Amino acid sequence: MQLRQQMGWVPFVLAASLVAACGPSSSEILAPETTGVQAAELVELVVNGNFDNGQTAPWWSGPNTQSAVENGRLRVNVTGGTANPWDAPMGQDNIVLANGQAYTLTFTASATANVTVRATVQLGAAPYTAPLDQNITLDGTARTFTFPFTSNLATAAGQVTFQVGGRGAFSLFLDNVSLTTSGGGNPGGGPVAMTSGFYVDPNSNPAVWVRNNGGDSRASRIQASIASKPGARWFGNWSGDITAAVSSFVGAADTVDKLPVLVAYNIPGRDCGSHSGGGAGSPEAYRAWISAFVTGLGSRPAIVIIEPDAVAQLDCLPNDTERQTRLGLLRYATEQLRDRAPNTWAYLDGGNANWIGADTMAQRLESAGVRNIRGFALNVSNFYTTAQSTTYGTSVNSALSSRYGYTKPFVVDTSRNGNGHNGEWCNPGGRRLGVTSQVGGGAELLLWVKVPGDSDGNCGIAPNTPAGTFSPDLAIRLIDGT
């Protein structure tokens, strides 16, 4: 698949001149069909997060901090002479957290100095395990921060903390502090809590290559570092009977009590006709295909990534009619998953950290139906670090919040981001495997979505390896970071 970054394309937030040239206005293109769609009810866990009553309770001030309500917000005066962020904490106790449950922490903050402080949701006693641990940079401008995460704790002794030591003397200002359970339509901890871990695909391209090449000196390393790790299986027009293919994969995972990750990759005009071009032959064929895909899921636990590149590549479609058609197909996919796959967490692909501006991406995701499903996916088949992807995801959520009044959890593809991005997207050298699939880690989930060792196309350090074909040389380079 292709993840373009700097192609000089016109952003999909259409300028007036482009509207005049192309027809319908951007508002017509971007307006989602949301009739009958209701955001999941959120449960607020923070007490007195807006300080409207003029009181600080139940917020506490720890060593080296003093708090008071000033002009409708909390002012936290921090003394100097501390070495570590936790030497000057403040926060709120008795936060109930459920293992596997998704949450969103949101707050508005500023400071009287340019400082970096730490925001956590954590266990309130040793070992202070923190499902959310974020450093934020503040100055005199009040900004809203939004951090989705999934708890790996089951406790009634959680805390929300702001740890502000080690930065000298200054004042921190807080307002609209909120910790909510995230929407998405799945009760409790969803499919993560229903299973005992992520599924390792025994028939992934790396696993098949290892079985067929046991005498190759590279086989044991590829088995240990890639083929034995949980990752996604991609489904498209090569999958044959899609209901049977999906059902077989999800059923195999369910038999061993593991959580499968699937990628639906069959949108018409896929990959702008480039290395991974193809897809369903018509809108009608796609609707039938994605409906059959969802039938294969049934009520079994699963994670689904919806159509990598399809939202970000709206720009390459030739006219507004085709862009509107694609958005309608993506909305249809989200509606099918929402209505017919009750134990699936679905994530609509949202590009990567250096492709589409966060505000534009938020508009596109809203138009494509992200409010119908669990959230969005970032960095699929790309190389940006988890930190870069998390920063971008937080910015997208800030735009979703300010424009539409909600935020969504997101996941990050870490399959090849161990060395970060070097400016190339197609089989670049010097990349490395990232952390394996897990809950939390900055996003709701970190996942191996791209299969490490599968080629991006006839390009880069694999000029003769077609897209989706496994290369042991690519795999070893990712293991070694060469």
Side-chain angles (χ1 to χ4, degrees):
M1 64 173 289
Q2 185 164 357
L3 284 175
R4 298 176 179 85
Q5 298 151 77
Q6 294 180 342
M7 298 295 289
W9 296 340
V10 178
F12 191 54
V13 176
L14 301 175
S17 59
L18 184 58
V19 173
C22 295
S25 70
S26 58
S27 61
E28 291 175 300
I29 295 169
L30 291 171
E33 296 176 3
T34 58
T35 303
V37 176
Q38 295 181 348
E41 183 178 356
L42 300 182
V43 178
E44 179 60 67
L45 303 178
V46 162
V47 178
N48 188 27
N50 56 19
F51 311 104
D52 286 346
N53 61 7
Q55 304 297 313
T56 60
W59 295 93
W60 49 260
S61 297
N64 304 303
T65 63
Q66 294 181 334
S67 300
V69 176
E70 179 182 286
N71 298 323
R73 56 182 180 170
L74 187 68
R75 178 173 184 146
V76 183
N77 294 325
V78 185
T79 61
T82 57
N84 305 297
W86 54 86
D87 292 335
M90 58 80 53
Q92 186 171 135
D93 291 333
N94 302 317
I95 300 295
V96 178
L97 299 173
N99 187 33
Q101 176 65 47
Y103 299 87
T104 300
L105 177 68
T106 304
F107 55 90
T108 301
S110 61
T112 55
N114 294 337
V115 293
T116 299
V117 303
R118 185 182 185 191
T120 76
V121 178
Q122 64 180 44
L123 184 63
Y128 301 103
T129 304
L132 177 71
D133 188 344
Q134 291 284 339
N135 289 319
I136 57 172
T137 301
L138 303 176
D139 55 24
T141 301
R143 295 181 176 87
T144 299
F145 298 85
T146 302
F147 298 112
F149 67 97
T150 298
S151 175
N152 57 358
L153 298 174
T155 181
Q159 292 178 325
V160 174
T161 77
F162 295 89
Q163 301 177 17
V164 293
R167 303 298 179 183
F170 69 96
S171 291
L172 167 72
F173 296 96
L174 290 172
D175 201 1
N176 300 318
V177 185
S178 171
L179 178 65
T180 58
T181 55
S182 298
N186 295 82
V192 176
M194 295 170 65
T195 55
S196 61
F198 293 99
Y199 183 55
V200 177
D201 183 359
N203 294 309
S204 67
N205 285 347
V208 171
W209 184 89
V210 167
R211 283 200 297 271
N212 294 338
N213 296 273
D216 192 301
S217 61
R218 299 168 292 184
S220 62
R221 297 188 67 206
I222 292 172
Q223 172 63 27
S225 297
I226 297 176
S228 62
K229 307 303 182 186
R233 181 180 289 187
W234 293 57
F235 294 82
N237 47 351
W238 59 84
S239 299
D241 182 334
I242 190 61
T243 297
V246 168
S247 182
S248 176
F249 183 66
V250 175
D254 193 43
T255 297
V256 293
D257 192 35
K258 299 297 182 182
L259 180 61
V261 180
L262 302 85
V263 181
Y265 193 48
N266 200 35
I267 200 78
R270 188 179 62 211
D271 197 26
C272 296
S274 188
H275 295 289
S276 295
S282 68
E284 294 75 20
Y286 182 77
R287 282 190 286 269
W289 184 88
I290 197 67
S291 176
F293 180 105
V294 176
T295 297
L297 295 170
S299 60
R300 291 168 294 193
I303 301 293
V304 173
I305 310 300
I306 303 172
E307 299 298 341
D309 295 351
V311 173
Q313 285 184 341
L314 285 168
D315 306 284
C316 79
L317 298 177
N319 55 61
D320 293 347
T321 298
E322 293 200 23
R323 287 189 275 267
Q324 179 64 65
T325 296
R326 175 171 289 188
L327 289 170
L329 293 178
L330 293 172
R331 283 197 300 275
Y332 181 79
T334 67
E335 291 160 358
Q336 287 288 299
L337 285 156
R338 178 196 66 198
D339 296 340
R340 299 177 51 224
N343 293 313
T344 290
W345 278 357
Y347 301 86
L348 184 61
D349 187 79
N352 63 58
N354 195 35
W355 191 354
I356 306 294
D359 189 67
T360 301
M361 180 54 68
Q363 294 179 61
R364 296 184 183 191
L365 289 172
E366 161 71 5
S367 300
V370 75
R371 70 167 62 215
N372 294 328
I373 55 173
R374 183 69 183 179
F376 55 97
L378 299 175
N379 200 52
V380 173
S381 293
N382 219 289
F383 307 90
Y384 289 97
T385 65
T386 303
Q388 288 174 299
S389 299
T390 301
T391 297
Y392 177 68
T394 300
S395 296
V396 171
N397 263 326
S398 293
L400 284 173
S401 178
S402 63
R403 283 181 171 271
Y404 308 111
Y406 69 91
T407 61
K408 284 290 183 179
F410 60 88
V411 301
V412 174
D413 183 357
T414 58
S415 59
R416 305 188 297 178
N417 73 347
N419 279 348
H421 194 276
N422 71 342
E424 302 174 23
W425 68 266
C426 197
N427 295 328
R431 303 308 92 204
R432 186 183 292 273
L433 299 172
V435 300
T436 53
S437 298
Q438 62 181 260
V439 175
E444 176 164 64
L445 304 172
L446 304 182
L447 302 171
W448 278 17
V449 181
K450 174 73 174 183
V451 179
D454 279 7
S455 175
D456 295 318
N458 299 316
C459 54
I461 58 176
N464 301 311
T465 307
T469 302
F470 180 76
S471 163
D473 179 61
L474 285 176
I476 291 296
R477 283 174 175 264
L478 287 170
I479 294 169
D480 293 337
T482 58

